[in-house]
Amino acid sequence: RFCAPAAMPVECDGARPREGPPARRGNPDRHATRTARCLAHVLLSIAAVSCLLHQADAFHAALGPLRVQSPSAHAASELRHSAYIPSNFCFDSQAARGLQLQSTPRTRLQLASLVASSPAPVAPLLPDSLVDVKGEPAVVSSLGKLKVEVLLTNGKSKKVNIKDVKMIFPGPVRSWEVAELAADMEEPHAAVVEAHAYLSETGECITIGDLASTIFEETTFKTVWAAWKLVSADLYFHGAPDAIAAHSQEHVDALIAKRAAEEKAEAERVALVKRVKAGKLTAKDKVAFKDVEDLALMRSDSSSVLKMLGMTQTPDVALGLLLEQGLWTTQDCPWPERCGVPAGSPGLGGKVAVPGEERVDLTHLRALAIDDADAEDPDDAITCEEDGKCWVHVADVAAVAGAMSELDEEARRRVTSVYLPTGTVPMLPEAVAEAVGMGVREVSPALSFGFRLEEDGTLADIQVLKTLVRVERLTYEAAAEMLEADDELLTRMEAVADAWRDVREAGGAIGFNFPDVSVKVDEEGGVSIKEVSDLRSKDLVTEFMLMAGAAASAFALDHDIPFLFCSQGPPSDAPVGKAKANQPLAKKAAPAAKIAPTMAPQTLSAMFDLRKRLVRSQVKAVPGLHSSLGMERYAQVTSPLRRYGDLVLHQQLRAFLDDKPLRSPDELEAAVAVVDEKIGNLKRGERMAKQWYTLAWLMQHPDWKGEAICVGHWQPKPHAPRIGQVLIPELGLLANVRLREDVKRDEGMKVKLRGVRLVDMRADWTHIAEAKKLYGTKETEEYQKLARARKNVGTRMSSKTKRQG
């Protein structure tokens, strides 16, 4: 009785067999086959009892009063491999009672171990057997050479590869019973723990049938599948259906703790999603949003919070979420960090001492440092003697930041000073500007470039000296007023500057005059936009800086000093494409091509087109023509406080003056190679920050209206309204606007703000046009006609279609 497989519908002690639908009529062969199979199992069970009786002495001697020990290998092999016991036989509660033992998980496992000492052969795939198909239960319907047709719990059949099928229970499991496997079976936790404890102690392996009968006290297809789910969970047990072992208690404890943490995290995720949708984040949530900030700033490329919320993990999506939830405001501009702008000033502390050395005293000359009112790094000053000798005094930064020094390494890492609406991020510590800045102290150390501009346009009497100078600091506005008042020194210098501009223009230089604005953010976060005026004093300083660059180049060539020269080729002949919208315009000193003065662009649209054709300038150790400046040779040497390339050239000039070894051309190019790598991103950070705060200002002025100048237009598709490319001088923005009337290039027009998309870094504009000037051309009428036709496509039915309907 106890040896009969639980899956067999055999009546024992009045117990009824498992009920199922009656055999189908008209299929007697199948019914007879199943009946024969049942009778065969009954006979095998009787034979197994006889086998046990013949070996009763050895069997009970091994058991004793449940002093369970493993039987001999011979007895175990006899019991398991004899033809009298089926391979899927399991000792269940009936087996324990048959031997007058208490039925517990431990006793059932001990009984099972008597016949499991020698592993059972793996049962082959058979029709009506229970299998695992990629973690899901199924019943085999038919077998092929490479494929197996299985019946799933949803009632559908499916053909799968044999390699994806794992035999679990020989069955038979009927087709109408498969759906029962979809429901979860309650697991007796105490029995699971006791079975795990026993197998951990003995280190034995059992079959899935033995595990099912141990835990659920019966072996059916449902209990076997429930037991297999326990094994697949990999918590208490592991292995294959024919060899299941227990995990260590350490593994169980660790996995339970891990799953508890995962469940807690999932509960927190669900709660966070609800708070995000409701817009009610807590202080703790703000800490969790740290990885969203990292993604918005491009510090990382993923965010667990965005993944949790089911949102695309991109910087713009992260930025939009931070703004939407109020964690960031319009004052939190991400672009400087996105573009690699260093945070704050350099960390090098302490005072900077200028070494004592012999210098030429030029303190008797009145020198002027003309700059913006908020400039923090005055690195140049200019003067002109009565005899026409001009001087450009530049802060002697190389005196305190020599090659390979700590300050030099810091400047090399930062490349340049970055000018943001929120303030300046300097290339060098403030202590350096305090020590060598022009006009910061009563007397400043300088590297001075002296020259004379001859009547033929050449520079003569060129000198490069280490000097001491006395400098007076002025703003551009103050210097412009002094020019209007005919200040003697400024008037003399302006005459030289005008003469040099004429020389450059004769060489093909062209100066652009784009509208420019200054965008500033105060300490309270307020944004202000101010138009930058065109002042004579700015043009004066620009020309003196260019003359100093030409003088330095000539000095280096005359004395065979390896040097770095800035050159630029002629404009490209590529066609001018459409502009990107909402781009701030930077005013350039003289960006143009080397072309005849008569061909110089005279209108704003012509300047705009030419600017897009300019090629990028290059810095090399070989002199070359700078076509947009109209100069045969040029070097940047006037800003060592804020440009690393200028500092490198100052170090080279000082080495020559001190009679020290000079860097080779290759070493110079290698030293400034980092500039080419970083300068583009840093300048982009400046532009994008300026644009961000301009858009933030527009968000505070949603009804803004103003003047714009059309610099071009294009048509997205035939007969469609034209899109105008316009400059908005008051904002310094370039935008695309759909034209509601015919507007010609360089013609003024009025625009109105329609909306701001801060994450997309753009504003939308509406063209304000008078009703009588609205488009009424044949072109737009044709477009409107085509648009109406497209709109009605698929919405009208022909009379034939209506009749058919």
Side-chain angles (χ1 to χ4, degrees):
R1 182 175 61 185
F2 69 82
C3 289
M8 292 294 301
V10 181
E11 296 189 21
C12 300
D13 294 339
R16 298 182 62 187
R18 190 157 38 86
E19 295 181 356
R24 293 180 182 178
R25 296 182 180 181
N27 191 8
D29 293 339
R30 183 178 181 183
H31 182 69
T33 301
R34 291 178 178 174
T35 303
R37 187 188 299 170
C38 294
L39 291 174
H41 276 290
V42 170
L43 294 175
L44 287 173
S45 301
I46 295 172
V49 171
S50 301
C51 176
L52 288 175
L53 290 176
H54 280 292
Q55 301 193 22
D57 294 338
F59 195 76
H60 284 281
L63 286 175
L66 206 58
R67 299 188 303 275
V68 179
Q69 300 173 1
S70 298
S72 65
H74 173 74
S77 178
E78 285 286 333
L79 289 172
R80 173 59 76 182
H81 291 288
S82 67
Y84 304 106
I85 298 181
S87 61
N88 64 327
F89 166 78
C90 298
F91 281 99
D92 54 14
S93 56
Q94 290 185 354
R97 289 195 296 272
L99 291 174
Q100 299 180 354
L101 301 175
Q102 183 181 4
S103 178
T104 67
R106 180 176 289 269
T107 58
R108 292 194 293 274
L109 278 174
Q110 291 169 340
L111 288 170
S113 68
L114 293 177
V115 292
S117 298
S118 182
V122 178
L125 286 176
L126 297 172
D128 297 334
S129 57
L130 175 63
V131 295
D132 180 332
V133 180
K134 295 182 178 180
E136 296 296 328
V139 173
V140 176
S141 298
S142 62
L143 297 170
K145 292 183 178 180
L146 299 176
K147 298 276 188 178
V148 178
E149 185 175 359
V150 297
L151 182 64
L152 305 177
T153 56
N154 58 9
K156 296 182 179 180
S157 295
K158 180 180 180 182
K159 287 187 176 182
V160 296
N161 293 324
I162 290 181
K163 64 179 183 178
D164 296 330
V165 178
K166 187 177 294 184
M167 177 69 176
I168 303 299
F169 184 64
V173 181
R174 308 307 179 195
S175 59
W176 60 83
E177 297 173 327
V178 179
E180 300 178 22
L181 294 171
D184 291 333
M185 190 172 183
E186 184 178 355
E187 301 169 358
H189 182 68
V192 173
V193 173
E194 187 173 353
H196 172 263
Y198 174 78
L199 292 178
S200 297
E201 292 174 7
T202 61
E204 297 175 355
C205 292
I206 60 174
T207 65
I208 189 64
D210 293 336
L211 184 62
S213 64
T214 299
I215 295 174
F216 299 100
E217 300 190 11
E218 60 176 342
T219 307
T220 67
F221 69 94
K222 289 194 290 185
T223 61
V224 169
W225 179 252
W228 179 244
K229 286 176 66 177
L230 276 174
V231 176
S232 300
D234 200 37
L235 177 58
Y236 291 100
F237 309 101
H238 66 95
D242 58 334
I244 298 171
H247 276 300
S248 65
Q249 189 61 43
E250 292 78 9
H251 170 88
V252 174
D253 295 340
L255 199 55
I256 288 176
K258 179 182 177 182
R259 292 180 179 178
E262 290 174 351
E263 291 176 0
K264 181 180 178 181
E266 177 63 17
E268 292 177 351
R269 184 194 73 81
V270 173
L272 176 61
V273 171
K274 292 180 179 179
R275 290 194 297 272
V276 168
K277 291 181 178 179
K280 298 179 179 179
L281 296 180
T282 64
K284 186 178 179 181
D285 294 333
K286 296 179 181 179
V287 177
F289 267 67
K290 177 66 169 57
D291 71 341
V292 181
E293 293 184 356
D294 290 342
L295 179 57
L297 295 172
M298 296 184 178
R299 297 172 183 164
S300 66
D301 55 5
S302 63
S303 166
S304 60
V305 173
L306 289 184
K307 183 179 180 180
M308 190 185 304
L309 296 173
M311 302 175 72
T312 307
Q313 299 178 60
T314 64
D316 285 348
V317 171
L319 177 59
L321 181 61
L322 292 169
L323 292 171
E324 177 186 337
Q325 295 298 322
L327 298 177
W328 278 15
T329 67
T330 55
Q331 305 305 314
D332 299 301
C333 177
W335 286 101
E337 185 161 349
R338 283 183 176 184
C339 295
V341 176
S345 300
L348 302 178
K351 293 184 178 181
V352 175
V354 180
E357 56 185 333
E358 184 178 352
R359 292 179 179 271
V360 177
D361 189 350
L362 296 180
T363 55
H364 62 283
L365 297 177
R366 180 189 175 202
L368 303 177
I370 307 173
D371 215 327
D372 292 316
D374 56 353
E376 300 174 357
D377 47 7
D379 47 13
D380 56 69
I382 57 178
T383 188
C384 183
E385 300 183 49
E386 294 181 0
D387 62 355
K389 182 67 176 283
C390 299
W391 292 92
V392 175
H393 307 302
V394 183
D396 195 359
V397 181
V400 297
M404 308 305 292
S405 66
E406 189 176 11
L407 286 172
D408 177 68
E409 291 297 326
E410 181 66 17
R412 180 185 176 87
R413 187 178 70 84
R414 291 181 171 244
V415 172
T416 183
S417 294
V418 181
Y419 298 93
L420 304 173
T422 52
T424 301
V425 181
M427 181 182 75
L428 289 168
E430 296 177 2
V432 176
E434 293 174 358
V436 299
M438 294 291 94
V440 175
R441 298 183 178 183
E442 183 178 357
V443 176
S444 304
L447 191 66
S448 298
F449 299 86
F451 50 85
R452 294 178 189 274
L453 180 60
E454 300 293 338
E455 292 184 1
D456 61 356
T458 60
L459 297 179
D461 193 14
I462 298 175
Q463 292 179 282
V464 177
L465 305 173
K466 293 184 290 182
T467 63
L468 292 174
V469 295
R470 197 183 307 274
V471 176
E472 176 186 351
R473 297 185 66 180
L474 292 176
T475 64
Y476 285 118
E477 291 76 13
E481 292 177 1
M482 294 170 65
L483 277 170
E484 293 293 335
D486 296 329
D487 180 87
E488 181 182 356
L489 175 59
L490 285 169
T491 302
R492 189 188 309 132
M493 289 192 295
E494 187 178 40
V496 177
D498 291 343
W500 178 249
R501 184 184 304 108
D502 293 340
V503 173
R504 292 196 306 107
E505 289 180 354
I510 301 175
F512 288 166
N513 191 22
F514 285 124
D516 192 18
V517 297
S518 173
V519 181
K520 299 294 181 184
V521 180
D522 58 30
E523 295 180 355
E524 288 74 28
V527 181
S528 62
I529 300 178
K530 182 181 178 182
E531 288 189 67
V532 176
S533 303
D534 235 356
L535 300 174
R536 294 162 58 188
S537 56
K538 291 186 176 180
D539 295 335
L540 186 158
V541 172
T542 297
E543 297 302 330
F544 264 72
M545 298 304 108
L546 294 176
M547 282 190 285
S553 300
F555 184 84
L557 292 173
D558 292 343
H559 294 83
D560 295 326
I561 303 173
F563 220 58
L564 294 174
F565 304 90
C566 188
S567 61
Q568 184 184 44
S572 67
D573 294 329
V576 177
K578 63 183 181 181
K580 294 183 179 179
N582 301 289
Q583 296 296 318
L585 296 172
K587 183 176 179 181
K588 298 185 178 180
K594 186 177 181 180
I595 57 179
T598 56
M599 298 176 60
Q602 302 299 318
T603 63
L604 196 60
S605 62
M607 293 180 189
F608 177 78
D609 290 343
L610 181 57
R611 188 186 71 164
K612 291 187 290 186
R613 293 171 48 206
L614 294 179
V615 298
R616 186 178 178 182
S617 61
Q618 297 179 331
V619 177
K620 294 184 177 180
V622 179
L625 175 70
H626 200 296
S627 62
S628 64
L629 294 180
M631 298 171 62
E632 293 184 0
R633 49 181 179 260
Y634 170 66
Q636 290 182 323
V637 294
T638 58
S639 300
L641 276 174
R642 56 189 180 90
R643 288 196 302 243
Y644 182 66
D646 296 38
L647 175 58
V648 170
L649 293 185
H650 273 236
Q651 293 168 350
Q652 186 80 335
L653 289 172
R654 279 185 58 90
F656 172 78
L657 296 177
D658 295 338
D659 198 21
K660 293 182 178 179
L662 303 177
R663 291 182 179 181
S664 68
D666 290 341
E667 290 173 334
L668 288 175
E669 290 184 354
V672 298
V674 66
V675 176
D676 287 337
E677 295 174 4
K678 296 183 177 181
I679 194 67
N681 273 341
L682 296 176
K683 292 302 178 184
R684 182 170 183 258
E686 284 184 355
R687 294 193 305 270
M688 297 303 285
K690 183 177 181 180
Q691 183 178 339
W692 172 280
Y693 287 108
T694 300
L695 295 175
W697 184 88
L698 286 173
M699 292 176 68
Q700 299 172 1
H701 301 79
D703 300 325
W704 190 89
K705 300 177 183 178
E707 295 289 332
I709 301 172
C710 182
V711 296
H713 35 64
W714 54 282
Q715 204 166 15
K717 59 181 68 174
H719 309 297
R722 291 182 178 274
I723 304 298
Q725 301 170 10
V726 301
L727 294 177
I728 306 176
E730 293 181 45
L731 304 174
L733 280 181
L734 173 67
N736 292 334
V737 182
R738 175 174 290 185
L739 300 178
R740 302 181 64 198
E741 64 182 22
D742 190 12
V743 180
K744 294 181 172 55
R745 288 162 63 97
D746 298 303
E747 190 174 306
M749 55 186 285
K750 292 184 178 180
V751 294
K752 177 184 178 181
L753 179 66
R754 192 168 77 242
V756 175
R757 289 178 277 173
L758 192 58
V759 174
D760 297 332
M761 293 294 287
R762 65 174 296 163
D764 298 317
W765 304 90
T766 299
H767 178 197
I768 303 175
E770 299 179 16
K772 62 181 181 180
K773 292 185 178 181
L774 291 177
Y775 264 126
T777 62
K778 292 182 179 180
E779 191 175 69
T780 51
E781 290 174 359
E782 182 67 21
Y783 172 77
Q784 291 171 358
K785 182 179 178 181
L786 292 173
R788 285 193 296 269
R790 285 194 298 271
K791 185 177 181 181
N792 293 327
V793 169
T795 61
R796 295 181 179 178
M797 293 194 305
S798 64
S799 57
K800 182 179 178 180
T801 306
K802 291 180 180 179
R803 287 195 301 272
Q804 289 177 350

